[in-house]
Amino acid sequence: ISEDFRDTIALWIPYSEIICSTPEFLNAGIYRVRISSVERQKEEGEEDQQDEQEEGKGLSKTFSLINVVERPTISKIFPINGPSTGGTIVSIIGNNFINSPDLFCRFANIRVAGKFINSTWIQRTSPPLSSIINTLPINVTITVTINNQDYTSY
């Protein structure tokens, strides 16, 4: 577990969650995540909400772990042709794929779960695209995510 702490800005959604981006790490690995709050300057006319904010000041005593992985890359997709009605098994070759419930492929703007074969190979059956395609032939961008947020394209 890395002791390399770096600050990042977070968005607090009252009473339920905090959303933040991971800083750019030099290496993949497991890192500790702790929350701290910094008191901001009140603007003129703003009411005092100190009682609600008092509890959250400072650095949390507990931490969570985050597993930072290498960004996946795509080096080859085959076959490169298929019917707009879908049903073609598409292989995506690359690096840094992981077996995750957040492994998805996106064909144009249609997201489908990816099938993990190994760290360099995933598969997916192409979805029907006829509802978003007006003219044929058309090139469709295929992208992959291992965290259901950041997509990598070919």
Side-chain angles (χ1 to χ4, degrees), residues 6 9 15 30 41-42 44-45 49 51 75 95-96 106 118 122 140 154:
R6 299 182 191 193
I9 305 262
Y15 312 109
I30 298 174
Q41 296 289 335
K42 291 182 202 150
E44 189 174 329
Q49 297 176 348
D51 57 334
S75 57
N95 288 303
N96 304 320
R106 198 163 50 194
N118 61 45
I122 56 177
V140 175
Y154 175 56

Side-chain angles (χ1 to χ4, degrees), residues 37-144:
S37 65
V38 177
E39 190 174 330
R40 66 177 178 82
Q41 296 289 335
K42 291 182 202 150
E43 295 184 22
E44 189 174 329
E46 187 175 8
E47 289 187 29
D48 188 7
Q49 297 176 348
Q50 187 172 358
D51 57 334
E52 290 180 21
Q53 296 174 356
E54 194 67 38
E55 219 174 284
K57 288 184 180 176
L59 187 62
S60 66
K61 291 180 174 41
T62 60
F63 62 88
S64 296
L65 298 177
I66 183 172
N67 184 16
V68 177
V69 296
E70 296 290 334
R71 180 179 291 276
T73 59
I74 299 172
S75 57
K76 185 174 185 179
I77 298 174
F78 63 89
I80 59 170
N81 295 310
S84 64
T85 54
T88 302
I89 296 175
V90 177
S91 288
I92 302 169
I93 307 299
N95 288 303
N96 304 320
F97 300 136
I98 61 171
N99 193 5
S100 162
D102 293 323
L103 174 63
F104 290 97
C105 302
R106 198 163 50 194
F107 293 75
N109 64 351
I110 300 174
R111 189 186 72 148
V112 293
K115 180 182 177 187
F116 178 83
I117 307 298
N118 61 45
S119 65
T120 62
W121 180 19
I122 56 177
Q123 284 185 331
R124 188 64 250 164
T125 302
S126 64
L129 298 171
S130 49
S131 63
I132 63 168
I133 296 174
N134 295 328
T135 59
L136 294 174
I138 188 168
N139 291 326
V140 175
T141 301
I142 299 175
T143 57
V144 171

